[in-house]
Amino acid sequence: MRRIGSLIAFFTLCVCITTIALAQTPAEFKGHTGLVFNVAFSPDGKTLATASFDNTVKLWDFANGKELAVLKGHTAPVYAVVFNKAGDIIATGSQDKTIRIWAKDGKFLRELKGHTEIVDSLAFSPDGKTLASGSADKSVRLWNAEDGKETKNLGSHKQSVYTVAFSPNGELLASGSNDTTIKIWEVKGQKELKMIGTPPKEPEKPAPKKKEKDDKKKEEKKEEKKKEEVKKIEIKDLPDVPEGITGVAFTPDNSQVMAVGFDKKLRFFSVADGKETKKLPPTPDDLFGLALSRDGKFVATSGYGGSLRVYELDSGKTVFSHQLSVSDKLKKLVTYCVQFAPDGKALVTGHEKDYAARVTPIKEGK
């Protein structure tokens, strides 16, 4: 009897181990027929949403990779997906110029119209009552999350708005644009507080050229002069030229706004005076993704070419670095976004290759 009891215990253990193994989060979430441009987690961390250029959003059980629902209705690529704080509402933004609101089970609730170009970014306020949107039509807008009505068109950037984010206390909204600037908006007062950076000047219209006779010798002299001038130029470090902003996020204490973009750097700016407080070394790629861990201690960036970084928020120290292998680069494993897994032990990224979302474990010191 003792032997039978031991065998039963052994087989029970084997079944438990097998069950745990099967329940592990998969390395990839596949199922879309277009690239994955954005990912988001429900507040409880159980559901992963993936927004794709196949015009759909898929909901997955993050623990086992099971597909839970497909959100169909957009008529063009989906650029943005976000959950509200309660986790019962999902908002999506698309190239079809609309925002769609869904229940957590994937049921369509309503459509929000107003933007005249791609809806690039969405963010729910901490209390869940307000939805913010940024668009290629250059505008930043606020919407009533309950009835879907537009509350306010806050204003515009000079170029496309790629990203919007609320401060943790819900009092401020930050928007980042391809015009190289970040704008800070007061949510309650529905007005612009400050602009960080300077947008590029509008190109001057060339003066009409006067008709001149073709003078070959004159042109030759000009070319010689140019060559001499080039020789005299000393090659120095490239200047810190502002580039488009693709991601913004506030620090947990609401005092700073972080930004990434085409200059390949993670920068920190003071909300009070707009001055840069910290700048981390450039990564190999243009940065397309920015995410803060749930405990607020770490920040992650993702590069277009697949580079991933995790930094300690307070010190700026790099705690994790992942670079694609040459073989992966040849596979064109383009990376569009990043989020921390709910437990903070992995990063989830959206890709063009295999139209998948990938899970990369965070290994300290690598």
Side-chain angles (χ1 to χ4, degrees), residues 17-85:
I17 292 172
T18 303
T19 302
I20 291 171
L22 291 173
Q24 287 181 341
T25 299
E28 291 186 321
F29 289 77
K30 294 181 179 179
H32 283 290
T33 56
L35 64 88
V36 176
F37 195 80
N38 206 351
V39 297
F41 279 98
S42 59
D44 62 10
K46 294 180 179 180
T47 304
L48 171 69
T50 53
S52 171
F53 273 27
D54 65 8
N55 305 356
T56 73
V57 171
K58 287 181 181 286
L59 303 181
W60 312 81
D61 184 316
F62 186 64
N64 58 32
K66 180 182 178 182
E67 185 180 300
L68 302 174
V70 182
L71 282 53
K72 296 180 179 179
H74 282 296
T75 58
V78 185
Y79 279 71
V81 60
V82 63
F83 286 85
N84 68 350
K85 188 177 181 180

Side-chain angles (χ1 to χ4, degrees), residues 320-353:
F320 174 71
S321 176
H322 173 76
Q323 191 63 38
L324 287 182
S325 64
V326 175
S327 60
D328 277 339
K329 285 184 178 179
L330 292 174
K331 293 175 185 176
K332 297 181 180 179
L333 199 66
V334 179
T335 306
Y336 293 101
C337 57
V338 65
Q339 288 291 338
F340 278 92
D343 63 4
K345 295 180 180 179
L347 297 176
V348 181
T349 48
H351 296 270
E352 190 168 330
K353 175 66 177 175

Side-chain angles (χ1 to χ4, degrees), residues 222-232:
K222 283 183 179 179
E223 288 300 318
E224 287 298 323
K225 191 176 180 181
K226 284 181 182 178
K227 287 177 182 178
E228 289 300 320
E229 289 175 350
V230 169
K231 287 179 183 177
K232 293 177 183 177

Side-chain angles (χ1 to χ4, degrees), residues 290-305:
L290 176 66
L292 192 66
S293 61
R294 292 196 172 203
D295 61 11
K297 294 181 179 179
F298 301 95
V299 58
T301 64
S302 63
Y304 183 74

